[in-house]
């Protein structure tokens, strides 16, 4: 399975997880530039949630969360700013969902992240 297919599978799993947990999916794969993409934009009650999804086949080479570098987080923040400029949003946060496919499916959800 190549990385693009694995990533799309992870995003599908994340969307199912979010919907089951009371989120409404607003958009997927919102591109603002070559370097800036928001995987999932969702709403939970009155909060807009920008979700980065990281998928790994196994944890043999690190967890999904370890794949989020400071520069990756900065690009996500840029995308959020572009979205906020286009859409009237009062409350928002950035979440990360880490998905590990094997040996068994594991979904981890970190809410309201920041990287220093």
């Amino acid at each position: 399975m190549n990385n693009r297919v694995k990533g799309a599978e992870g995003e599908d799993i994340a969307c199912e997880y979010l919907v089951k947990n009371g989120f409404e999916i607003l958009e997927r794969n919102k591109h603002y530039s070559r370097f800036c993409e928001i995987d999932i934009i969702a709403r939970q009650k009155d909060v807009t949630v920008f979700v980065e999804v990281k998928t790994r086949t196994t944890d043999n080479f690190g967890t999904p969360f370890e794949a989020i570098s400071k520069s990756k987080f900065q690009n996500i923040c840029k995308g959020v700013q572009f979205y906020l400029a286009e859409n009237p949003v009062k409350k928002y946060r950035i979440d990360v969902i880490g998905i590990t496919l094997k040996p068994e499916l594991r979904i981890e959800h970190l809410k309201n992240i920041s990287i220093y």
Side-chain angles (χ1 to χ4, degrees):
M1 174 184 318
N2 71 36
N3 287 339
R4 188 174 298 262
V5 171
K6 182 174 30 178
E9 180 182 352
E11 288 175 13
D12 290 342
I13 292 167
C15 282
E16 289 175 24
Y17 165 84
L18 290 169
V19 169
K20 286 180 185 175
N21 285 281
F23 290 76
E24 173 190 0
I25 306 301
L26 303 176
E27 294 191 54
R28 286 183 64 175
N29 301 314
K30 180 75 174 173
H31 288 269
Y32 287 102
S33 73
R34 192 175 116 195
F35 301 105
C36 183
E37 175 194 8
I38 300 172
D39 293 332
I40 301 169
I41 302 171
R43 182 176 299 125
Q44 185 181 38
K45 297 180 183 172
D46 64 339
V47 179
T48 300
V49 183
F50 302 93
V51 183
E52 175 68 14
V53 180
K54 287 297 179 189
T55 307
R56 293 287 178 262
T57 303
T58 68
D59 280 344
N60 292 346
F61 299 103
T63 68
F65 298 129
E66 291 176 300
I68 300 175
S69 65
K70 184 176 180 180
S71 63
K72 175 64 177 169
F73 182 74
Q74 289 171 338
N75 286 335
I76 294 166
C77 291
K78 286 178 193 173
V80 169
Q81 293 304 314
F82 283 123
Y83 186 87
L84 295 175
E86 295 174 352
N87 299 278
V89 172
K90 293 185 192 249
K91 294 182 184 178
Y92 69 92
R93 71 175 194 246
I94 300 171
D95 291 2
V96 177
I97 295 179
I99 297 174
T100 306
L101 301 173
K102 295 177 184 179
E104 59 189 34
L105 178 64
R106 187 173 69 235
I107 302 170
E108 297 176 275
H109 185 180
L110 296 179
K111 297 178 181 179
N112 203 22
I113 67 157
S114 62
I115 295 178
Y116 294 99

